[in-house]
Amino acid sequence: MKWLLVAVLTTFTISSAVTQSHILLGSPVNSLCADLIHPAGYSCTEHTIQTKDGYILALQRVASPAQNLTLQYGPPVLLQHGLFMAGDVWFLDSPKESLGFILADHGFDVWVGNVRGTRYSYGHVTFSETDKEFWDWSWQDLAMYDLAEMVQYMYSLANSKIFLVGHSQGTIMSFAALTQPRVAEMVEAAALLCPISYLDHVTAPLVERMVFMHLDQMVVALGLHQINFRSETLVKLVDSLCEGHVDCTDFLSSITGKNCCFNDSRIEYYLDYEPHPSSVKNLRHLFQMIRKGSFAQYDYGFLKNILTYGTSKPPEFKLSLIPASLPMWMGYGGSDLLADVTDVERTLAELPSRPELLYLENYGHIDFVLSTSAKEDVYKHMIQFFRARKKSISW
């Protein structure tokens, strides 16, 4: 069922005075620096931060060989991955094809985010990964705690605003976090790949099947709190959804839509790193977005919503609260069945600013992070967007 793992790999893809952070000494068990960055000849340091709700997250700081010699860094940029991914996704192809390496080669101070639950950020001050409480979170927590803390940490070290890059779920997190003034004021500009704030026009056949069959409720009934597609149970469960209902011969396309430029000869290599775990609650929150057509906080149901939010319905994240003065750039594709063009257009209509846009008719969801031609098709335009704003920051 290797195609399942590849498909999952591509699905979607706060400031605190008491934050504890440091550079890790030695190599942790799961070290992105040791796995992918150092072997490519780039400098990399491992950092950790602690969120307000107690999760221990890993950040990596990456520098090119040229930066290593000069000891000078350019503008800080944070790379935020998508669902079932981690920071490794930005480095899975060659240095000439991978965005993380390309940005470092262009002089950027590259930082790599890894959200809670991934193998690089597997920790909490109280809970272990076997505790159900460890998995009690959704993307709104990733936005309000994880991403916000990463931005704060980088801002404090660099003493300047940062550039933010997100893909898929990383864009959901970005949109939500940027509605908070204390986060938005630390961001110089944002570049969003496969931008998502609404999901009600998702047409990926297997995703529609998962939502219709309430896969999220199935895994809860099994007593599971994390979604780990390296487990035999989850693989068999999703496989059963295909049989007789969805043509999963091309599993990748059934999840994401057709990808024009994905190098499928590297599948075995990608599977050494992806997919990473996520929480059942996170999956349920994403399914709520699909069913309700909303961009809102987690829906606990009438009574718990009253207790949690003080209202019967969960509060919405209002895109109109993102500052109109914040420069934004977005890349999206005509073959993406997750970040559907209709939903992207709705997002654009609700934003107070007019982002710069790159539309590629033949690009699918995974192409924006693993296309063999993304350097020319996508990344050079993103870098031009960032460079156009270099006058406002020290470079």
Side-chain angles (χ1 to χ4, degrees), residues 170-395:
T171 71
I172 301 178
M173 295 164 55
S174 298
F175 282 130
L178 290 172
T179 65
Q180 309 301 304
R182 57 181 172 175
V183 176
E185 67 185 10
M186 294 184 285
V187 176
E188 180 69 26
L192 306 177
L193 302 168
C194 309
I196 295 172
S197 64
Y198 295 101
L199 281 169
D200 47 321
H201 287 88
V202 166
T203 54
L206 186 54
V207 174
E208 289 184 308
R209 175 74 177 163
M210 289 176 179
V211 174
F212 177 76
M213 293 300 295
H214 295 272
L215 175 66
D216 50 337
Q217 295 182 21
M218 289 183 186
V219 293
V220 169
L222 290 172
L224 302 177
H225 301 285
Q226 70 163 301
I227 300 288
N228 187 344
F229 283 95
R230 291 181 181 269
S231 73
E232 187 176 354
T233 300
L234 264 295
V235 171
K236 287 182 176 180
L237 180 58
V238 177
D239 190 29
S240 69
L241 295 178
C242 286
E243 190 172 356
H245 300 281
V246 177
D247 180 8
C248 295
T249 306
D250 185 349
F251 213 104
L252 194 61
S253 295
S254 71
I255 289 285
T256 69
K258 185 174 178 58
N259 294 282
C260 68
C261 313
F262 170 71
N263 185 357
D264 57 10
S265 69
R266 293 179 61 82
I267 287 175
E268 295 292 336
Y269 177 74
Y270 296 150
L271 290 177
D272 287 341
Y273 297 95
E274 316 295 345
H276 288 256
S278 189
S279 72
V280 173
K281 185 177 181 179
N282 192 32
L283 189 68
R284 299 193 76 173
H285 197 173
L286 292 165
F287 282 11
Q288 287 176 5
M289 295 173 69
I290 296 173
R291 293 180 181 122
K292 300 172 182 291
S294 62
F295 183 41
Q297 297 188 45
Y298 187 84
D299 190 347
Y300 291 99
F302 182 86
L303 290 178
K304 192 169 181 180
N305 283 343
I306 293 289
L307 294 173
T308 304
Y309 307 121
T311 59
S312 60
K313 295 182 179 180
E316 294 185 357
F317 287 102
K318 296 186 180 298
L319 295 174
S320 60
L321 295 179
I322 298 176
S325 58
L326 178 67
M328 301 184 78
W329 177 96
M330 297 183 187
Y332 62 112
S335 295
D336 190 341
L337 301 187
L338 294 175
D340 184 86
V341 171
T342 302
D343 290 329
V344 173
E345 290 174 347
R346 180 180 177 186
T347 297
L348 292 170
E350 294 186 12
L351 287 169
S353 63
R354 294 186 177 181
E356 294 185 24
L357 302 176
L358 174 67
Y359 174 71
L360 299 173
E361 179 65 35
N362 63 331
Y363 259 52
H365 202 73
I366 193 174
D367 288 319
F368 285 90
V369 287
L370 290 177
S371 165
T372 56
S373 56
K375 181 177 180 179
E376 287 298 314
D377 294 342
V378 181
Y379 303 154
K380 74 174 184 181
H381 301 288
M382 178 193 297
I383 291 170
Q384 289 170 357
F385 167 74
F386 286 151
R387 285 190 180 278
R389 278 133 197 93
K390 69 181 181 180
K391 294 179 181 179
S392 62
I393 54 180
S394 176
W395 193 355

